Every structure is written in structure tokens, then in C-alpha cells.
Amino acid sequence: MQQVTLKILSNTPLTKDIYRMWLSAEGEESFAAIQQTVAGQFMNIAVSGCYLRRPISICDIDDNKICIVYKVIGKGTAAISKMQRGESLDVLLPLGNGFDLTTAGSRPMLVGGGVGVPPLLMLAKQLRLQGKEVDTVLGFNTKEDIILADEFRQAGCNVFITTVDGTEGQRGFVTDALKGIIQHTTYFYACGPIPMLRALNSTMTIPSQLSVEERMGCGFGLCMGCTCKTTAGAKQVCTDGPVFKTDEIIL
């Protein structure tokens, strides 16, 4: 983890309340921090007027540039959404433990729900570079909420969309889409809200890793605010996670 400065290259809306921000390195330290980042990790952003930093998962990396996709849900993220090109951000980067790609097998499946989708894009690209065939199931409430589906397709993934109201793709939840495609899956990775992860964990028998969403205070294990239950006792999502194996996390 390093405290570095990143400069905003762009900050654009993808939906009515979800934004994509690209940032570039400012100096050797920030470039090194970006290069050390792995899929599944996050950054912690200082926001003027807010006591606590805002944790945002990493979506993608391109050389000296790093991308985050975030949802406006409160004062901090609302302030971030108003930031302009050329402004600088004070961030802690990289934080948390990311995904382990060594267990993927030949045909991994990625399952994302809502703002749990962005952390899977970098993972998908890395798996495709390794020659894996990647199935991706992305779940949203409605057609207007869909994000990054084209980016997964451009990465060479097989993309399956579900919406709760049926306005795009298959009607229902991500678990409904798995039934017809899971027979070839060697491993799966998932990120999304706890109810989604709990449903996956109760229906899937294939080994997997889950990225857990949790409120964080400090982001590096001091405040104990993001404690979760595991088979080895209490652990912190920010330092021991956010990625856990399914046989470890208790949802």
C-alpha cells in the first residue's frame, strides 16, 4: 500500500448513478503502485470535507492509467462524481487481496451483480490473456442499469445478461442463467451484494472465490469496521479480503 497522487483523465456517467473514472500516474511512486495492483484489489480515495476515505474497487489498468467504476450512494461518492479532468486525487493503493488466477482451469466463469461487475473486468482480461475461455454472467435490475457488457465482449468473453424485470437478456437473477451453461465450468469467480453471493454459495458445488462488499472505515485493518465471519474466525474484509474462497467465508 502506498499513498500516492493520481490525476483525473476522465469522469463520465455510465448510467444515471454509476460513473467511470480514468486516472493517470503522477510520478514514479504512483506508477509503481498501479503496476503492483492485481484484479480484485481496491483504492481508498480522500474526499475533501469527508473524514473517511472512500473505498472503490479497481476496474481496469492500462500501462500508467487506472480505471474505477463507482456508484453515487452518499456525500463522498457524490463529490467524486463532480470532479473534473485535471484534478488530482490523494489515494491509498493498492489495498486488499485480489483474485488468484492459478486455480481457474480452462473455462472459468465470472458472475457479477450490479456494481460488483467492474472488479471482474480486469480479471476477465487477464484470464483471456492466459488463453482461457471465459463465461461471464452479469446481473442487473433493469436494462438501464447495464454496465460494461460491451467491454467484456471486446475482451473475448461469452457474455450472458440477466435483468430482474426481463428488459434485457434473461429474466431473473444470475443463478437462473447458470443452469444452462455451468456444465463446462472449471472454476468460478463472483462479486456482488451479499444476497447474491449467498445464493451462489448455496447452489454451486464448483470451487470458487467471492469478492465481498462491506462498509470500510480505514481500509487497511485498523478500525475493525469490516469484520466478517470465516471458518478460521473473524477476519477483516479490507486486508484479509475482499476476495475469499467459498470454503472459507461464512455468509
Side-chain angles (χ1 to χ4, degrees), residues 69-85:
V69 173
Y70 62 95
K71 184 174 184 178
V72 176
I73 55 175
K75 177 182 177 182
T77 45
I80 294 172
S81 72
K82 294 179 174 62
M83 294 178 178
Q84 302 295 315
R85 175 183 173 88

Side-chain angles (χ1 to χ4, degrees), residues 177-195:
L178 300 180
K179 300 170 185 176
I181 58 176
I182 198 171
Q183 61 268 27
H184 302 297
T185 301
T186 55
Y187 197 86
F188 87 92
Y189 301 86
C191 183
I194 292 295

